[in-house]
């Protein structure tokens, strides 16, 4: 999903590497390879060449001198790199000892393929199924065998004996001359040779040398490849571990197919194994819940809360939201929701236990009356901000990300609902069991027994949790108490460092750049299959053939999508431009000259050497038919004896449609006898796989500007066209990623600020919250910049997760800060927030970090990036809430947080005609009732 469903109309991964217009290029390159590259037409391997054993059963021409060699989809490619661990190679692939290593490795690999062919006759091509053998690979070794005389049946060592220093010098010089001649005669516009590279050895192809070879006399060849004529990817995927990659130090070889089929299959298998690690991270979350609650009963209820949220979210997702597309990314959301669900459980359990510590002799009903509104309110704040942060990502039109955001948001919401419906009643049952003396591990693994000697009815003074002595505190509360003292003592230095940190993070966070390539790589750097892709890009063939991407200019259509933007399987219907009428004489003349102007623009080129635009090919056909004595029946019945364009408008449509059917041209589409769509193929020199986004954007702007200027003087019947390309789709997708990231952050920040303002009724605390969330986002982004990340497709998905979890901790602290009513010093409120919510926040942070650490061992890049960004976001959210937010509260926090907003509310009530005195009395009564449950504190 992450590779193929990135945009409406985006094509499959394999097709993305061979853009649709390049398929036509491939067709013409068959003749090109046979006639142009070798310079020998269909010449066989030199007569003095090696006579294959049983040659009568093998067809060497079908492989060594055809386009199957380069474009064979299932050919096995061995990529070789010299001194792979060194920055600069001191040796050359053309050295005697290096070629010997390649020869031996090829021989060993060929033996493996021969064994596979013997058991499965479909493994190799080029030889008969009964032969049980495979053709030797096309490589430097084969090139050398064809160059050196009298080498029939020579072993690798015997061949190297013939490859003396003098022969090496001669062979290298001829290869340098060939490569330079090849470059000089290469036309990048048409991707063909202008002349004939006559100095090239027989069967030379540019995949045998790297792009640097021959430049300024460079004879150090570092990269090369060996191509095996194979046919069954499944068979040699099983035997891939037996392929010889040489020693791995001086020479390293890696194997894959022409278009990376082994890579794709390997990733598919890795995804399944990595999912087991993801499940293991889920298990870590459940174990952390057990450790924190110290109750098997509460842990079981918490697990049920998370599990029940999944089908409920799916029900709403499919049957209410009517979303049919369910990408693999949605399964990743389960782990995010599990971590957030554990956070809700920790908050509910800790608030209950804290209340029980403060009110050891209250009834279960009294505790529930105090805890449930407080816990439900605190969790509602974080649930709403987190859910909205995910839902904000729905502004992205890319289907997998939109679906992921919706499903995550729903799971977060249902986790809260299930927490209220399941955990709250379970806490009442749990407390009843404790109060009634039940003592087993299912109820509680560790608890302090109630002191029976104390009178629980008279004279007990309820002590504020924040005023307990350290001796009476639990271990975690003691640690947090020391932290509160440290924070207060060094508050000014910490404040200064926090301001500096925020500034630095914002500066470096803005350095996050767009990707320099459109390739979505799912294996980490250094992996053998990833090395294969990277090394193949260093070959001369990649430099020559990868320069360009197909672009189509279509007349008769207007841009639009009638399909579902959230379901890539539901395609759009064509939206016809009713003003398009190519039959008019002025339209015919305009279209006839359109391609000439287009291909002389300097940025648009013919997709292949002998390409003719449909309208020009049609005009050539009319001229040819009109000059013939015996004309085609298609012409005589439909074209009114036209000898070229412009022709009779009344006969134009019928003639053009008949010609397109006769020539099987799919670039002319008609409906009810009228031409409705006309497509012109062109090619950009921008290689979408390797070009930066800014380069692709500039290329798109060239096409759009040129078309706009062109249509200013065009007839009204042909003055509209749309320009499409896979690289432009990918560019638009990345632009949407950036807009989504910025927009989601803005929405999350705005909504979080509104929630904090509503709940705290304090502008100062809202400002503190905004500063903390800004730090979390900036610091996490800066960390990603430090890791060398770019804002690519996978990173943008992770960015949505980061926004979703950046708000929780600080909102919990803000809710705890305003918990004490009346005028209470900012130092006391800060300490209360630390002791009251610190354990829950730390537990949630440790749980999420533990889960992320497990997923760091995954092999697929998406899982590891997901784990890294989750890790970074939680670390910075913990730092931001415990350090930046709390030090701001300790220094500048209000002693009466709600006073200002409450004063405005009172004035508004007066303006509305209500009895403000009654409202004030009600508020005073509520405050008096709350004050009765705490000790008066004088600072």
């Amino acid at each position: 999903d992450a590779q193929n469903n990135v945009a409406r109309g985006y094509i499959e991964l394999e097709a993305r590497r061979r853009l649709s217009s390049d398929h036509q290029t491939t067709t013409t390159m068959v003749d090109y390879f046979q006639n142009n590259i070798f310079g020998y037409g269909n010449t066989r391997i030199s007569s003095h060449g090696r006579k294959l054993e049983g040659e009568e059963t093998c067809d060497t021409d079908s492989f060594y001198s055809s386009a199957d060699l380069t474009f064979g989809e299932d050919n096995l490619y061995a990529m070789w790199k010299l001194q792979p661990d060194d920055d600069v190679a001191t040796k050359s692939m053309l050295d005697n000892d290096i070629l010997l290593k390649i020869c031996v490795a090829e021989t060993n690999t060929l033996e493996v393929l021969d064994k596979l062919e013997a058991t499965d006759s479909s493994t190799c091509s080029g030889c008969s199924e009964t032969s049980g053998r495979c053709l030797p690979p096309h490589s430097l070794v084969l090139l050398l065998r064809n160059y050196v005389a009298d080498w029939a049946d020579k072993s690798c060592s015997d061949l190297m004996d013939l490859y003396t220093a003098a022969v090496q010098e001669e062979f290298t010089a001829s290869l340098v001359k060939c490569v330079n001649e090849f470059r000089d005669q290469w036309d990048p516009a048409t991707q063909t040779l202008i002349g004939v590279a006559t100095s090239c050895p027989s069967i030379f192809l540019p995949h045998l040398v790297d792009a640097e070879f021959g430049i300024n006399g460079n004879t150090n060849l570092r990269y090369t490849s060996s191509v095996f004529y194979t046919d069954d990817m499944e068979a040699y995927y099983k035997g891939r571990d037996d392929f010889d990659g040489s020693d791995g130090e001086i020479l390293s070889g890696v194997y894959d197919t022409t278009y990376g089929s082994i890579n794709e299959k390997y990733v598919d298998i890795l995804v399944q194994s990595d999912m087991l690690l993801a499940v293991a991270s889920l298990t870590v979350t459940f174990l952390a819940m057990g450790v924190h609650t110290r109750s098997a009963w509460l842990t079981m209820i918490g697990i049920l809360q998370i599990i029940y949220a999944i089908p409920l979210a799916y029900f709403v997702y499919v049957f209410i939201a009517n979303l049919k597309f369910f990408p693999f990314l949605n399964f990743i959301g389960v782990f995010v929701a599990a971590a957030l669900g554990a956070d809700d459980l920790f908050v509910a359990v800790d608030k209950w236990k804290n209340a029980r510590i403060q009110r050891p002799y209250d009834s279960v009903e009294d505790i529930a009356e105090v805890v449930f509104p407080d816990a439900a309110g605190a969790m509602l704040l974080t649930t709403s901000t987190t859910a909205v942060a995910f839902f904000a990502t729905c502004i992205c039109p890319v289907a997998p990300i939109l679906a992921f955001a919706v499903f995550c948001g729903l799971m977060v919401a249902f986790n809260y609902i299930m927490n209220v419906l399941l955990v709250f009643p379970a806490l009442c049952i749990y407390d009843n069991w404790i109060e009634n003396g039940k003592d087993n591990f299912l109820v509680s693994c560790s608890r302090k027994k109630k002191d029976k000697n104390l009178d629980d009815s008279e004279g007990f003074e309820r002590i504020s949790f924040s005023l307990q002595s350290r001796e009476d505190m639990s271990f975690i509360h003691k640690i947090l108490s020391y932290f509160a003292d440290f924070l207060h003592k060094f508050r000014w230095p910490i404040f200064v460092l926090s301001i500096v940190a925020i500034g630095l993070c914002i500066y470096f966070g803005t350095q996050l750049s767009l990707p320099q390539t459109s390739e979505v790589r799912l294996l980490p750097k250094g992996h053998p299959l990833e090395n294969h892709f990277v090394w193949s890009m260093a070959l001369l063939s990649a430099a020559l053939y990868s320069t360009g991407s197909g672009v189509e200019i279509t007349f008769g259509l207007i841009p639009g999508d009638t399909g579902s933007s959230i379901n890539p399987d539901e395609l759009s219907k064509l939206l016809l431009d009713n003003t398009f009428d190519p039959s008019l004489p002025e339209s015919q003349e305009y279209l006839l000259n359109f391609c000439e102007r287009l291909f002389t623009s300097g940025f648009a080129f013919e997709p292949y050497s002998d390409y003719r635009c449909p309208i020009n090919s049609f005009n050539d056909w009319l001229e040819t038919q009109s000059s013939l004595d015996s004309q085609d029946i298609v012409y005589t019945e439909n074209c009114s004896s036209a000898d070229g364009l412009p022709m009779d408008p009344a006969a134009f449509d019928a003639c053009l449609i008949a010609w397109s059917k006769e020539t099987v041209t799919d670039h002319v589409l008609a409906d009810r006898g009228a031409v409705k769509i006309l497509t012109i193929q062109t090619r950009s020199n921008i290689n979408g796989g390797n070009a930066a986004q800014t380069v692709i954007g500039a290329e798109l702007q060239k096409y759009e500007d040129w078309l706009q200027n062109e249509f200013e003087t065009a007839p009204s019947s042909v003055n509209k066209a749309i320009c499409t390309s896979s690289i432009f789709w990918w560019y638009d997708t990345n632009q949407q990623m950036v807009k989504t990231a910025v927009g989601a952050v803005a929405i999350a920040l705005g909504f979080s600020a509104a929630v904090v303002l509503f709940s705290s009724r304090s502008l100062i605390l809202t400002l503190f919250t905004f500063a903390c969330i800004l730090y979390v986002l900036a610091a996490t982004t800066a960390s990603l910049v430090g890791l060398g990340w770019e804002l690519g497709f996978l990173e943008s998905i992770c960015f949505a997760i980061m926004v979703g979890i950046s708000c929780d901790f600080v909102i919990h602290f803000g809710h705890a800060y305003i918990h004490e009513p009346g005028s209470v010093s900012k130092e006391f409120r800060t300490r209360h927030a630390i002791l009251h919510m610190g354990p829950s926040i730390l537990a949630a942070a440790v749980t999420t970090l533990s889960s992320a650490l497990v997923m760091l061992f995954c092999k697929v890049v998406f899982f590891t990036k997901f784990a890294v960004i989750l890790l970074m976001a939680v670390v910075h959210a913990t730092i931001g809430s415990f350090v930046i937010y709390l030090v701001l509260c300790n220094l500048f926090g209000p002693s009466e947080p709600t006073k200002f907003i409450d004063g405005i509310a009172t004035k508004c009530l007066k303006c509305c005609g209500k009895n403000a005195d009654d409202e004030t009395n009600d508020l005073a009564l509520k405050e008096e009732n709350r004050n009765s449950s705490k000790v008066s504190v004088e600072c």
Side-chain angles (χ1 to χ4, degrees):
D1 295 319
Q3 298 175 50
N4 298 327
N5 295 314
V6 294
R8 296 188 291 275
Y10 208 71
I11 54 181
E12 294 293 328
L13 174 64
E14 183 177 313
R16 192 172 82 232
R17 293 178 181 161
R18 297 173 296 162
L19 303 178
S20 56
S21 65
D22 292 338
H23 288 294
Q24 180 67 40
T25 306
T26 301
T27 302
T28 63
M29 280 195 175
V30 173
D31 297 331
Y32 159 67
F33 267 100
Q34 292 178 342
N35 299 319
N36 290 8
I37 283 189
F38 306 124
Y40 306 106
N42 290 325
T43 302
R44 293 176 177 271
I45 299 176
S46 302
S47 58
H48 61 269
R50 174 187 178 213
K51 299 296 183 182
L52 296 176
E53 183 181 351
E55 185 180 350
E56 64 277 1
T57 65
C58 297
D59 180 11
T60 57
D61 282 348
S62 65
F63 179 53
Y64 298 124
S65 56
S66 78
D68 289 340
L69 177 58
T70 296
F71 293 103
E73 195 168 296
D74 288 326
N75 286 344
L76 184 65
Y77 258 75
M79 285 301 311
W80 305 99
K81 182 179 180 180
L82 194 59
Q83 297 171 283
D85 297 329
D86 299 336
D87 294 333
V88 179
T90 57
K91 299 180 70 65
S92 172
M93 288 286 186
L94 299 175
D95 290 347
N96 186 293
D97 57 330
I98 303 301
L99 277 178
L100 176 61
K101 289 178 180 291
I102 295 177
C103 182
V104 171
E106 289 178 351
T107 301
N108 294 336
T109 299
L110 196 60
E111 289 178 358
V112 175
L113 291 175
D114 284 343
K115 291 178 182 179
L116 292 173
E117 176 69 12
T119 57
D120 183 357
S121 59
S122 62
T123 301
C124 297
S125 297
C127 296
S128 67
E129 294 184 358
T130 58
S131 66
R133 61 188 311 282
C134 304
L135 283 174
H138 184 274
S139 66
L140 281 175
V141 174
L142 185 69
L143 193 68
L144 178 62
R145 287 186 184 277
N146 199 46
Y147 182 82
V148 179
D150 191 21
W151 52 274
D153 300 322
K154 295 291 184 182
S155 65
C156 291
S157 58
D158 292 340
L159 176 64
M160 291 305 111
D161 289 341
L162 296 176
Y163 189 52
T164 62
V167 174
Q168 177 181 340
E169 183 178 356
E170 179 185 329
F171 180 69
T172 301
S174 66
L175 202 56
V176 168
K177 182 179 179 182
C178 162
V179 171
N180 286 331
E181 185 177 325
F182 202 97
R183 284 197 189 94
D184 293 341
Q185 297 185 11
W186 183 259
D187 182 10
T190 60
Q191 293 193 334
T192 57
L193 288 176
I194 299 174
V196 177
T198 55
S199 65
C200 287
S202 178
I203 67 172
F204 168 80
L205 282 175
H207 72 82
L208 297 177
V209 297
D210 58 42
E212 302 298 321
F213 183 74
I215 296 178
N216 297 325
N218 175 34
T219 58
N220 283 339
L221 181 60
R222 191 172 191 184
Y223 297 89
T224 187
S225 64
S226 305
V227 186
F228 297 82
Y229 197 18
T230 52
D231 205 26
D232 184 6
M233 189 271 292
E234 293 291 338
Y236 50 77
Y237 178 82
K238 298 175 183 178
R240 69 190 187 283
D241 293 335
D242 296 327
F243 296 156
D244 193 342
S246 194
D247 52 41
E249 296 180 0
I250 298 177
L251 178 69
S252 180
V254 289
Y255 293 80
D256 201 346
T257 62
T258 307
Y259 298 113
S261 300
I262 294 180
N263 189 316
E264 293 177 21
K265 184 176 179 63
Y266 181 72
V267 168
D268 289 341
I269 295 174
L270 277 186
V271 167
Q272 299 175 24
S273 62
D274 283 357
M275 281 298 295
L276 295 177
L277 279 175
V279 172
S281 73
L282 198 61
T283 304
V284 170
T285 300
F286 293 157
L287 290 175
M289 291 163 60
V291 171
H292 185 78
T293 62
R294 291 180 292 181
S295 169
W297 164 252
L298 294 178
T299 301
M300 181 187 70
I301 297 300
I303 293 173
L304 289 177
Q305 163 204 319
I306 294 171
I307 292 176
Y308 286 167
I310 298 173
L312 289 170
Y314 183 79
F315 177 84
V316 174
Y317 179 92
V318 174
F319 297 104
I320 296 179
N322 197 31
L323 298 174
K324 306 301 182 185
F325 176 54
F326 197 84
F328 175 78
L329 288 176
N330 286 9
F331 292 103
I332 302 299
V334 172
F335 308 107
V336 179
L340 297 174
D343 182 20
D344 288 346
L345 176 69
F346 297 153
V347 171
V349 171
D350 284 353
K351 282 187 177 290
W352 185 282
K353 290 185 176 181
N354 291 341
R356 177 53 73 187
I357 291 173
Q358 297 176 63
R359 304 163 178 264
Y361 298 102
D362 279 12
S363 66
V364 173
E365 291 80 3
D366 291 338
I367 297 293
E369 184 181 5
V370 173
V371 171
F372 287 169
D374 184 34
M379 289 186 296
L380 180 62
L381 297 178
T382 57
T383 297
S384 60
T385 53
T386 304
V388 167
F390 278 117
F391 288 138
T393 311
C394 293
I395 62 177
C396 183
V398 181
I401 295 182
L402 187 149
F404 171 77
V406 171
F407 192 62
C408 284
L410 289 173
M411 282 194 293
V412 169
F414 277 109
N415 259 307
Y416 172 76
I417 295 173
M418 287 295 100
N419 185 280
V420 172
L421 296 179
L422 295 178
V423 176
F424 283 8
L427 282 169
C428 293
I429 298 172
Y430 165 82
D431 199 63
N432 261 324
W433 286 339
I434 295 294
E435 292 299 302
N436 292 331
K438 286 189 179 290
D439 192 11
N440 60 71
F441 78 95
L442 291 176
V443 178
S444 179
C445 298
S446 174
R447 67 182 181 89
K448 292 182 179 180
K449 292 185 178 181
K450 183 177 178 179
D451 190 349
K452 298 294 185 181
N453 297 321
L454 291 177
D455 183 3
D456 60 354
S457 59
E458 297 290 342
F460 177 75
E461 187 175 49
R462 295 182 178 126
I463 303 299
S464 174
F465 185 68
S466 303
L467 296 177
Q468 283 186 320
S469 64
R470 287 201 176 105
E471 289 73 17
D472 297 329
M473 292 181 178
S474 64
F475 175 75
I476 186 62
H477 285 103
K478 288 179 182 178
I479 298 299
L480 291 174
S481 177
Y482 284 117
F483 171 75
D485 293 342
F486 175 84
L487 187 74
H488 178 70
K489 183 177 181 180
F490 297 100
R491 58 192 182 278
W492 282 108
I494 293 174
F495 170 72
V496 173
L497 291 175
S498 299
I499 296 300
V500 173
I502 292 176
L504 289 175
C505 289
I506 292 175
Y507 171 77
F508 287 107
T510 56
Q511 308 302 311
L512 187 65
S513 60
L514 289 173
Q516 296 301 306
T517 173
S518 61
E519 288 288 344
V520 179
R521 309 305 304 170
L522 296 179
L523 291 177
K525 292 181 179 179
H527 190 280
L529 290 174
E530 189 65 15
N531 283 342
H532 187 282
F533 173 78
V534 175
W535 297 353
S536 66
M537 293 297 101
L539 296 179
L540 178 60
S541 55
L544 297 179
Y545 303 137
S546 298
T547 55
S549 300
V551 180
E552 288 189 348
I553 297 175
T554 304
F555 289 88
L557 291 180
I558 57 177
D561 190 356
T562 62
S564 173
S565 62
I566 55 177
N567 186 2
D569 296 327
E570 184 178 329
L571 301 179
S572 173
K573 295 181 179 178
L574 297 179
L575 301 179
L576 296 177
D577 175 14
N578 294 324
T579 66
F580 177 62
D581 186 1
S583 65
L584 300 178
E586 60 271 21
S587 299
Q588 297 179 42
E589 290 185 6
Y590 176 82
L591 292 173
L592 189 61
N593 299 312
F594 179 84
C595 285
E596 181 180 354
R597 293 191 297 271
L598 175 64
F599 294 139
T600 56
S601 62
F603 59 86
F605 305 94
E606 295 93 337
Y608 46 89
S609 58
D610 57 347
Y611 173 77
R612 295 280 286 169
C613 290
I615 198 72
N616 298 94
S617 295
F618 175 58
N619 182 66
D620 295 342
W621 179 76
L622 289 175
E623 293 177 349
T624 301
Q625 289 295 319
S626 64
S627 63
L628 295 177
D629 295 332
S630 177
Q631 299 165 333
D632 292 346
I633 189 172
V634 172
Y635 174 80
T636 58
E637 290 184 355
N638 298 283
C639 300
S640 300
S641 302
D643 58 358
L645 297 179
M647 61 178 292
D648 181 7
F652 176 84
D653 286 317
C655 185
L656 180 57
I657 293 170
W659 167 82
S660 67
K661 292 180 179 180
E662 177 73 12
T663 57
V664 197
T665 300
D666 58 359
H667 299 297
V668 177
L669 301 180
D671 182 36
R672 296 179 179 86
V675 175
K676 294 295 184 181
I677 297 174
L678 183 65
T679 301
I680 295 173
Q681 289 182 293
T682 179
R683 184 177 58 81
S684 165
N685 270 345
I686 300 300
N687 179 21
N690 299 321
Q693 290 297 296
T694 52
V695 175
I696 298 177
E699 186 75 1
L700 173 60
Q701 195 61 47
K702 289 179 183 178
Y703 274 91
E704 291 184 341
D705 290 345
W706 186 87
L707 289 174
Q708 182 179 356
N709 294 332
E710 177 72 15
F711 291 149
E712 287 180 356
T713 57
S716 59
S717 54
V718 286
N719 65 349
K720 299 182 186 69
I722 59 175
C723 176
T724 58
S725 172
S726 295
I727 60 171
F728 298 156
W729 289 333
W730 184 246
Y731 169 78
D732 178 69
T733 299
N734 277 279
Q735 294 304 305
Q736 296 297 336
M737 297 297 184
V738 176
K739 293 178 182 178
T740 298
V742 175
V745 168
I747 294 173
L749 286 174
F751 185 80
S752 298
V755 167
V756 173
L757 181 61
F758 174 79
S759 61
S760 67
R761 306 196 300 281
S762 170
L763 291 174
I764 295 178
L765 291 182
T766 302
L767 182 62
F768 293 170
T769 302
F770 185 89
C772 182
I773 296 176
L774 180 63
Y775 162 78
V776 176
L777 297 177
T780 306
T781 306
S783 299
L784 302 184
V785 172
L787 292 173
W789 287 24
E790 299 169 325
L791 188 57
F793 187 79
L794 301 180
E795 292 82 0
S796 298
I797 298 171
C798 297
F799 208 91
I801 300 170
M802 179 182 71
V803 174
I805 65 176
S806 63
C807 317
D808 281 11
F809 297 168
V810 64
I811 291 178
H812 278 313
F813 273 137
H815 185 263
Y817 184 89
I818 67 169
H819 186 267
E820 296 293 337
S823 178
V824 179
S825 70
K826 57 182 179 291
E827 292 84 5
F828 180 84
R829 288 184 181 277
T830 303
R831 185 181 185 84
H832 172 81
I834 294 174
L835 295 177
H836 191 71
M837 287 306 302
S840 301
I841 293 175
L842 284 178
V846 170
T847 300
T848 308
L849 288 174
S850 301
S851 301
L853 286 173
V854 173
M855 294 187 67
L856 285 177
F857 294 96
C858 292
K859 301 298 183 183
V860 178
V861 168
F862 174 75
F863 287 105
T864 55
K865 285 192 173 183
F866 170 81
V868 168
I869 200 166
L870 194 61
L871 190 102
M872 291 294 180
V874 172
V875 167
H876 289 299
T878 305
I879 295 172
S881 57
F882 271 91
V883 179
I884 295 178
Y885 183 79
L886 290 177
V887 79
L888 288 173
C889 289
N890 194 269
L891 281 171
F892 311 111
S895 57
E896 294 181 90
T898 64
K899 182 177 181 180
F900 179 72
I901 300 296
D902 287 345
I904 295 177
T906 301
K907 293 180 181 179
C908 291
L909 289 173
K910 287 182 179 180
C911 294
C912 293
K914 294 189 177 183
N915 192 331
D917 292 335
D918 291 342
E919 298 289 343
T920 304
N921 291 337
D922 290 340
L923 291 173
L925 181 60
K926 291 179 181 178
E927 183 174 323
E928 182 180 348
N929 291 335
R930 293 179 65 187
N931 278 326
S932 66
S933 64
K934 65 178 286 290
V935 174
S936 299
V937 180
E938 293 189 12
C939 299

